[in-house]
Amino acid sequence: MKFQVNRDVFSDAVSFAVKLLPQRTTLPILSGVLIEADADGLTLSSFDYEVSAQTQIPAEVDEPGTILVSGRLLADIASRLPNAPVTFSTDENRIAVSCGSANFSLLSMPVEEYPTLPTVGERSGVVPGDRFALAVSQVAVAASRDDVTPVITGVQLEVTENALSLVATDRYRVAVRGIDFDPGTAASAETTTALVPARTLQEVGKTFGNATTVSVSITGSDDRELIAFQAGNKTVTSLLIKGNFPPVKRLFPETVENYAVINTAELVESVRRVSLVLEREAALRFTFTIDGLTLEAIGSEQAQASESIDALLTGEDTVVSLKPQFLLDGLGAVHSEFVRISFTKTENPNKPGPVLITSQSSKDQAGADSYKYLLQPNLLLR
């Protein structure tokens, strides 16, 4: 095999192919990147039995062929090559890489032992690339990072006619966002769901954020339920998480009459300052009154802190205690100048319900998007 390829194009393709591979694998063969060269150019692929990535790029192919090479090593080399065309050639089990004055000799891996990549099924629909990427970033932050309960380490995608809803939870908070979905000829009145690993979905969002549209394919055959995302010359597939996602959408109230509107940036800075004196896992106390919002950190005997900022309260005075980082995650996903913090009710009048965070375009106008972040308050600090 022998080919020549643009350095930047090749480096980008290798980086994409290895991005979703695990840092460590029990099967060394799965750490490789498969490079197939033919008259149409190069196809680079990676697959670890759960996630696959594939991309096509142009190249001048003198001798077609297929090689398998260590993915992360190739990515490191490609990112540091001088600004010149890259030439690949093979000699038995060695791969020669030359670029300008730089030359590398790499050991090839056995192509025949590499697994066959999954087949992408029929397209389920199309979503706008930028909105999809934003929705993923807003919701995935609420997914659990505890592998003990795999079902909540994913983001639940729900397709209903011309809408796509993304939902994630780690038991302490729930994030939901809806975006437009064009099913094309695959339109159906039935709801289709897919539980996608949050880490994979986050990488998909970053990769395809600049694409005009992203094609989504949800397929199921035998025991392998699969989702595929395609845009331009790039494709990512992922096995779906098995299990029943908890029905957390019903936790969101239809209306809330008691809420406060605050400048998002001011609240973020205040939370970061006051929480400096907190011990790990401790909560901040938030007191909302007609005069504004007061944040208090009891902290330890060595340090306490408090700060007051402007807040426009509708309804009665409210006191809640929230973990700072969980609150900051929600505020960071709002993407609006102001934020609305709504206070839900419980059967116990002395115990506050979950806090609902939504975007707010101005002090008087609710945000236009459908993002919602529900955060369970800690027990009030006494």
Side-chain angles (χ1 to χ4, degrees):
M1 185 179 77
K2 186 176 182 180
F3 64 83
Q4 189 175 83
V5 63
N6 178 277
R7 181 202 65 170
D8 293 338
V9 172
F10 182 72
S11 179
D12 177 71
V14 176
S15 175
F16 163 74
V18 305
K19 195 176 296 182
L20 290 167
L21 288 176
Q23 294 290 339
R24 296 181 181 84
T25 176
T26 55
L27 296 174
I29 196 78
L30 299 182
S31 66
V33 166
L34 189 71
I35 302 178
E36 301 168 88
D38 57 28
D40 297 325
L42 303 182
T43 299
L44 290 84
S45 310
S46 63
F47 184 37
D48 69 352
Y49 288 113
E50 293 191 3
V51 180
S52 79
Q54 188 173 80
T55 182
Q56 292 83 33
I57 58 173
E60 296 179 13
V61 178
D62 297 323
E63 298 175 14
T66 303
I67 56 173
L68 183 66
V69 61
S70 171
R72 300 204 182 278
L73 175 59
L74 185 61
D76 288 342
I77 291 173
S79 67
R80 290 172 173 80
L81 290 174
N83 188 15
V86 186
T87 300
F88 273 68
S89 60
T90 56
D91 182 10
E92 295 184 351
N93 65 339
R94 305 298 300 186
I95 303 168
V97 182
S98 62
C99 179
S101 59
N103 296 282
F104 295 85
S105 178
L106 308 177
L107 182 66
S108 63
M109 304 167 76
V111 173
E112 63 276 7
E113 295 181 15
Y114 200 70
T116 302
L117 267 70
T119 303
V120 177
E122 291 184 10
R123 189 171 71 182
S124 303
V126 175
V127 291
D130 55 348
R131 292 186 183 181
F132 178 69
L134 176 58
V136 169
S137 68
Q138 288 177 305
V139 171
V141 69
S144 175
R145 293 165 179 78
D146 185 356
D147 292 333
V148 175
T149 313
V151 73
I152 57 174
T153 62
V155 175
Q156 176 92 326
L157 306 187
E158 299 176 2
V159 178
T160 55
E161 293 190 45
N162 59 352
L164 171 66
S165 173
L166 297 86
V167 192
T169 185
D170 61 3
R171 292 196 184 95
Y172 305 104
R173 62 240 177 110
V174 184
V176 175
R177 174 71 199 273
I179 59 173
D180 294 334
F181 185 83
D182 180 6
T185 56
S188 172
E190 295 183 2
T191 299
T192 302
T193 62
L195 187 52
V196 187
R199 174 181 172 270
T200 301
L201 196 62
Q202 285 175 304
E203 289 297 341
V204 168
K206 294 174 185 175
T207 300
F208 296 145
N210 293 324
T212 304
T213 59
V214 178
S215 174
V216 182
S217 304
I218 302 173
T219 56
S221 60
D222 300 326
D223 294 333
R224 297 179 67 84
E225 292 187 327
L226 192 77
I227 190 167
F229 302 93
Q230 294 177 297
N233 61 350
K234 292 182 171 70
T235 301
V236 173
T237 72
S238 173
L239 286 182
L240 302 183
I241 299 173
K242 292 185 177 181
N244 296 319
F245 194 74
V248 291
K249 272 188 171 182
R250 66 185 183 187
L251 299 175
F252 288 89
E254 291 187 11
T255 59
V256 183
E257 297 178 355
N258 192 15
Y259 59 87
V261 175
I262 311 161
N263 181 281
T264 308
E266 287 183 12
L267 180 55
V268 167
E269 290 304 314
S270 183
V271 169
R272 286 175 175 165
R273 272 192 297 270
V274 178
S275 62
L276 288 173
V277 302
L278 283 179
E279 294 180 350
R280 190 177 180 183
E281 299 299 321
L284 283 179
R285 179 157 60 188
F286 297 79
T287 303
F288 296 86
T289 69
I290 195 68
D291 296 322
L293 166 62
T294 299
L295 296 78
E296 296 175 277
I298 305 303
S300 61
E301 292 182 0
Q302 287 80 19
Q304 293 85 36
S306 66
E307 184 173 342
S308 295
I309 60 175
D310 291 337
L312 184 62
L313 180 67
T314 299
E316 58 192 37
D317 294 356
T318 302
V319 179
V320 293
S321 292
L322 304 170
K323 286 191 175 181
Q325 191 54 55
F326 282 6
L327 176 60
L328 290 172
D329 287 343
L331 297 176
V334 165
H335 297 291
S336 60
E337 182 179 358
F338 293 88
V339 62
R340 177 183 292 201
I341 299 181
S342 304
F343 312 107
T344 66
K345 302 290 186 181
T346 64
E347 295 180 359
N348 183 349
N350 296 318
K351 182 181 178 182
V355 168
L356 176 62
I357 295 174
T358 54
S359 64
Q360 189 83 7
S361 300
S362 66
K363 288 185 177 181
D364 306 315
Q365 181 66 43
D369 66 18
S370 62
Y371 177 67
K372 295 186 291 186
Y373 183 87
L374 196 66
L375 177 58
Q376 180 66 46
N378 292 52
L379 293 175
L380 287 179
L381 300 175
R382 302 297 182 187

